[in-house]
Amino acid sequence: MDQPVTPSRPLPRLVERHTDPHAYPEGVAFLDGQFVPMSQAKVSVLDYGFLHSDATYDTVHVWNGRFFRLDLHIERFFGGLKLLRMSIPFDREAVAGILHDCVALSGHRSAYVEMLCTRGASPTFSRDPRDAVNRFMAFAVPFGSVANAEQMKRGLHVAISDRVRIPPASVDPAIKNYHWLDLVRSLYDAYDRGAETALVLDFDGNVAEGPGFNVFTVKDGALTTPAVGVLPGITRRTVFDLSAETGLPARAAALSVAALKGADEVFITSTAGGIVPVTKIDGAPVAGGTVGPVTARLKTLYWERHDDPAWSTAVRYP
């Protein structure tokens, strides 16, 4: 018969409340009907969003006190909810109101704002996702970018990783998700090569996207961006809208590595930064290695539109 194990030390004390030693950006979050400081916004370790990356989200930014294209972000978020069979107790108008309140309470005039829904936790820790109670959250923190001020000015240095993006047959790229291990590993590939960010490939060996951004090339005055296996980004869509207005040809199509490296200009698009030039790929300069005129023009138009009431919405500050 097995003998009982005698503890070699006394059991640790069970505390009633966790003391969080970590630092967080200043901001305001909404969860469970409450607006709280970012440091108080918590998710259970039993939440399937944490355990299984079972969640969807969307991000929108505020610039000079105005949301940019908020309606498109909310529409995409609700599309993700439907495809993942999640539900929240708020309609589109209510979600917009919550996001406005997060920003207004934070006081940020320029902010990164996220709405998200996790599968939630099952009261019995059931493996059946239908037993989980879906959980909606939102938050507003200071605006952040995929590129710093120097990189925005002289252009990003990018490396092409051998990592293959999760295929659409596995995870629909139209659903914003937290399946980022391929993208995170691509970032380390880029850092190891002395680059600042990365691009990954699709299963056909063509260029796909990067960690949180789409990519465009400019060749002979025409724009191309990958068509398959990528998130249809809102900033990507904005580039198509601006191109149509200004008469620039733009298309979504397969983009080979050779075409990327042979482009006249390359830029990336993201809610976190807008339109950002790329001036070096795998250590070699793109064309002349300087920010190109088409990129510069689109970037100027993009930021000008942030004051346009047709494209932006004022935050209701106190």
Side-chain angles (χ1 to χ4, degrees):
M1 178 181 294
D2 293 337
Q3 297 297 316
V5 176
T6 302
S8 59
R9 59 177 177 78
L11 286 173
R13 182 172 65 92
L14 179 65
V15 298
E16 293 184 0
R17 188 176 299 275
H18 169 251
T19 300
D20 192 341
H22 302 285
Y24 299 91
E26 291 294 325
V28 170
F30 172 88
L31 68 163
D32 301 327
Q34 306 162 67
F35 291 91
V36 298
M38 281 304 302
S39 60
Q40 299 301 309
K42 310 293 183 182
V43 176
S44 169
V45 295
L46 296 180
D47 193 304
Y48 292 141
F50 171 72
L51 292 177
H52 301 158
S53 194
D54 189 353
T56 189
Y57 74 103
D58 215 293
T59 57
V60 59
H61 72 249
V62 170
W63 193 253
N64 290 335
R66 301 183 69 88
F67 279 98
F68 188 64
R69 313 207 82 173
L70 176 59
D71 56 336
L72 297 182
H73 286 280
I74 290 178
E75 193 61 32
R76 184 171 63 181
F77 176 64
F78 273 85
L81 291 176
K82 181 178 180 180
L83 290 170
L84 291 180
R85 301 190 185 191
M86 292 180 179
S87 62
I88 61 175
F90 308 104
D91 60 16
R92 289 161 175 77
E93 184 178 356
V95 168
I98 290 168
L99 300 182
H100 272 273
D101 290 342
C102 283
V103 177
L105 289 169
S106 76
H108 296 317
R109 305 292 299 184
S110 297
Y112 176 98
V113 187
E114 185 162 324
M115 64 201 97
L116 62 143
C117 183
T118 68
R119 186 69 61 188
S122 162
T124 61
F125 200 50
S126 163
R127 287 287 193 174
D128 189 333
R130 295 171 297 182
D131 294 338
V133 180
N134 302 161
R135 196 174 189 203
F136 172 78
M137 292 161 271
F139 63 81
V141 293
F143 180 78
S145 174
V146 294
N148 60 35
E150 177 191 353
Q151 293 164 347
M152 292 286 284
K153 183 177 180 180
R154 52 93 163 148
L156 277 166
H157 298 168
V158 174
I160 301 175
S161 172
D162 294 330
R163 309 289 171 187
V164 175
R165 191 67 173 114
I166 299 172
S170 298
V171 177
D172 186 346
I175 306 171
K176 280 185 73 72
N177 61 73
Y178 296 124
H179 302 295
W180 268 53
L181 284 183
D182 51 352
L183 298 174
V184 171
R185 295 188 72 190
S186 77
L187 279 173
Y188 279 98
D189 292 338
Y191 301 152
D192 289 343
R193 300 175 193 174
E196 295 158 345
T197 192
L199 285 167
V200 295
L201 306 176
D202 64 21
F203 263 95
D204 293 322
N206 293 312
V207 177
E209 58 189 348
F213 58 81
N214 297 113
V215 63
F216 280 81
T217 61
V218 183
K219 185 68 175 180
D220 299 327
L223 278 63
T224 301
T225 191
V228 178
V230 301
L231 174 76
I234 303 301
T235 312
R236 175 181 182 265
R237 172 172 172 170
T238 300
V239 168
F240 277 106
D241 292 339
L242 294 174
S243 297
E245 290 183 6
T246 56
L248 281 171
R251 64 173 186 153
L255 180 64
S256 68
V257 172
L260 179 77
K261 293 184 174 182
D264 299 328
E265 302 176 37
V266 176
F267 62 85
I268 65 171
T269 59
S270 172
T271 294
I275 295 172
V276 183
V278 173
T279 51
K280 189 177 288 187
I281 299 174
D282 286 343
V286 176
T290 58
V291 179
V294 174
T295 301
R297 180 185 180 193
L298 288 170
K299 182 178 177 181
T300 298
L301 291 172
Y302 172 80
W303 288 107
E304 286 177 351
R305 282 305 181 94
H306 282 62
D307 295 323
D308 187 341
W311 291 48
S312 62
T313 311
V315 176
R316 301 180 292 269
Y317 292 98

